[in-house]
């Protein structure tokens, strides 16, 4: 089934209707999540009052930062092993979007951190550091691709870097459990189930789904553009030859 | 498959690091220069210097490992040595590991050995702690060289790729930097930190040569 969609033509057909569906569903989920977060859920004085409402953007952004890097590494792996061109196109499209969500995670984290912990940024917090470097990893990936003189080389160099950089993902995930610092330990995905009342958990999960759908839609649109750009480049080369 | 080409690569890299006068002295000079700038910048208060010293040395160590690594694979790409290795079917991971190890011996080990001296400049007391720190710097430096080598191999064909190496390699330094600083500062949860540092260094030595080999094959195309 996967090699069926490895065909760019089939992908164009699929994403033609799937991307808009993702956009609409994502907008609905994010909209509902924000409505719940801003107006419905009760104020939580323990977590710093109204500021904890930023959680409904921060936590999905953090999930997506990690998930997008994992997706980048997986797409790179698939391209490296099977040389499906579409996997490289996916990796190239994921990188800038992943960087955006990572930046969003850092920004909302700082906004949340100032009133609750009294600081925008805490240097000895392993999770903040590792997310910051995840952001740099995305930038490095894009810079490396841009520096290569051919598309093949860009794809190969990028794939190697993305796979090597994947060592940081488990470190980010478990940094809050490994090191004691400001950042609270995991409270949604734990061995004993979510340590969070449903009134917060449901909007959080819906919000996370919405962000993922929006991300997926944007990646598909970016991939469609990239496929067409490569087609144009090939046609131009052909026209120049003739 | 004989080990001769790997040994030759090691010797060549080792000689290269010493040749041309300033090879191994460059990073040492950089380390010293960077460290000397700090007291000039933040003032000479003994308490402050003692507090920031170990961390400053970490940073200087990480940065000065990038100084020599920029050139580690570039010459092989330029003069065709790389193509000969590939044609001879030499295991590239072994070549890459040998070259990185040689560079570390020539430049990285002196850097680590200079660290107690720098610590004294940062008003550290003479104690067995200095030797422990020296061991930690040696371990961490090895990881820095291996991850930096990946960046160097990836940007071997890029003109003036020095800055690119820094951007690629610094995120890879993170586990080393985090565990190293944790072992150094001795805060909460630092009991296992030297072990975690050693583990991440071993991981670097195990994984990085294969990434370097893949990147070098790419550079030869």
């Amino acid at each position: 089934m996967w090699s069926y969609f490895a065909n760019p033509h089939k992908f164009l057909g699929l994403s033609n209707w799937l991307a808009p569906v993702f956009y609409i569903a994502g907008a609905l989920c994010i909209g509902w999540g924000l409505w719940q977060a801003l107006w419905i859920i009760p104020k939580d004085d323990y977590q710093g009052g109204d500021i904890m409402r930023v959680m409904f953007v921060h936590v999905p952004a953090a999930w997506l930062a990690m998930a997008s890097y994992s997706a980048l590494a997986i797409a790179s792996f698939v391209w490296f092993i099977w040389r499906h061109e579409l996997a490289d196109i996916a990796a190239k499209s994921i990188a800038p979007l992943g960087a955006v969500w990572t930046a969003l995670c850092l920004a909302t984290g700082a906004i949340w951190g100032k009133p609750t912990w009294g600081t925008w940024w805490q240097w000895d917090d392993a999770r903040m550091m590792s997310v910051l470097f995840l952001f740099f990893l995305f930038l490095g990936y894009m810079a490396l691709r841009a520096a290569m003189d051919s598309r093949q080389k860009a794809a190969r160099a990028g794939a190697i870097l993305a796979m090597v950089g994947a060592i940081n993902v488990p470190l980010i995930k478990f940094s809050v459990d490994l090191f004691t610092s400001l950042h609270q330990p995991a409270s949604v995905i734990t061995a004993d189930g979510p340590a969070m009342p449903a009134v917060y958990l449901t909007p959080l999960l819906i919000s996370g789904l919405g962000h993922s759908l929006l991300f997926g839609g944007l990646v598909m649109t970016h991939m469609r553009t990239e496929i067409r750009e490569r087609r144009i480049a090939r046609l131009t080369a052909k026209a120049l030859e003739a | 498959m004989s080990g001769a080409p790997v040994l030759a690569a090691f010797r060549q890299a080792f000689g290269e690091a010493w040749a041309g006068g300033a090879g191994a002295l460059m990073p040492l000079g950089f380390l010293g220069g960077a460290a000397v700038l700090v007291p000039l910048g933040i003032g000479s208060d003994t308490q402050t210097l003692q507090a920031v010293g170990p961390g400053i040395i970490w940073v200087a160590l990480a940065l000065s490992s990038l100084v020599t690594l920029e050139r580690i694979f570039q010459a092989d790409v330029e003069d065709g040595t790389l193509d000969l290795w590939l044609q001879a079917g030499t295991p590239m991971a072994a070549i890459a590991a040998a070259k990185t190890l040689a560079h570390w011996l020539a430049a990285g080990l002196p850097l680590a050995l200079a660290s107690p001296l720098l610590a004294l400049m940062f008003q550290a007391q003479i104690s067995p702690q200095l030797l422990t720190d020296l061991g930690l710097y040696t371990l961490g430096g090895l990881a820095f060289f291996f991850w930096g080598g990946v960046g160097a191999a990836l940007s071997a064909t890029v003109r003036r790729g020095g800055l690119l190496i820094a951007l690629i390699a610094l995120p890879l330094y993170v586990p080393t930097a985090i565990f190293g600083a944790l072992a150094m500062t001795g805060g909460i949860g630092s009991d296992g930190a030297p072990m975690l540092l050693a583990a991440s260094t071993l991981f670097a030595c195990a994984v990085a040569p294969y990434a370097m080999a893949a990147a070098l094959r790419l550079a030869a195309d």
Side-chain angles (χ1 to χ4, degrees), chain A residues 101-230:
Chain A
W101 258 274
T102 311
L104 183 68
C105 170
L106 287 167
T108 50
I111 291 166
W112 192 0
K114 182 65 185 165
T116 40
W117 299 327
T119 174
W120 297 104
W121 187 260
Q122 182 71 24
W123 282 103
D124 58 11
D125 187 294
R127 177 159 279 187
M128 290 182 206
M129 286 309 294
S130 46
V131 173
L132 179 66
F133 278 94
L134 186 69
F135 180 63
F136 288 150
L137 208 50
F138 277 120
L139 294 189
Y141 178 86
M142 288 188 276
L144 181 65
R145 282 196 80 117
M148 290 292 159
D149 48 16
S150 79
R151 217 178 62 203
Q152 272 288 321
K153 273 190 175 181
R156 272 170 72 181
I160 295 166
L161 180 61
M163 288 189 288
V164 172
I167 51 158
N168 274 347
V169 175
L171 195 71
I172 298 167
K173 175 72 190 80
F174 297 111
S175 55
V176 277
D177 303 317
L178 276 176
F179 313 105
T180 325
S181 60
L182 283 183
H183 207 285
Q184 61 187 34
S187 54
V188 176
I189 301 167
T190 61
D192 311 322
M196 194 186 274
V199 65
Y200 300 121
L201 187 64
T202 314
L204 186 60
L205 290 179
I206 300 280
S207 214
L209 180 68
H211 276 261
S212 311
L213 287 169
L214 176 61
F215 188 88
L218 285 171
V219 167
M220 275 191 264
T221 305
H222 201 302
M223 286 172 73
R224 289 168 67 83
T225 316
E226 181 70 22
I227 289 172
R228 291 190 171 124
E229 260 173 16
R230 291 188 181 190

Side-chain angles (χ1 to χ4, degrees), chain B residues 143-200:
Chain B
F144 287 154
F145 268 73
F146 270 86
W147 289 132
V150 175
L154 277 171
S155 51
T157 52
V158 179
R159 294 268 151 237
R160 307 190 55 78
L163 212 59
L164 191 62
I165 296 182
L167 192 57
I168 292 171
L170 286 176
L172 301 177
Y173 284 4
V174 173
T176 311
I178 288 180
F179 294 134
L182 204 64
M184 210 62 87
T185 51
I188 313 159
S190 67
D191 295 339
M195 283 299 160
L196 286 170
L197 177 68
S200 63

Side-chain angles (χ1 to χ4, degrees), chain B residues 4 41 44 51 69 108 111 119 122 126 136:
Chain B
S44 58
L69 281 172
L111 287 177
F122 284 100
I126 294 188
L136 293 174

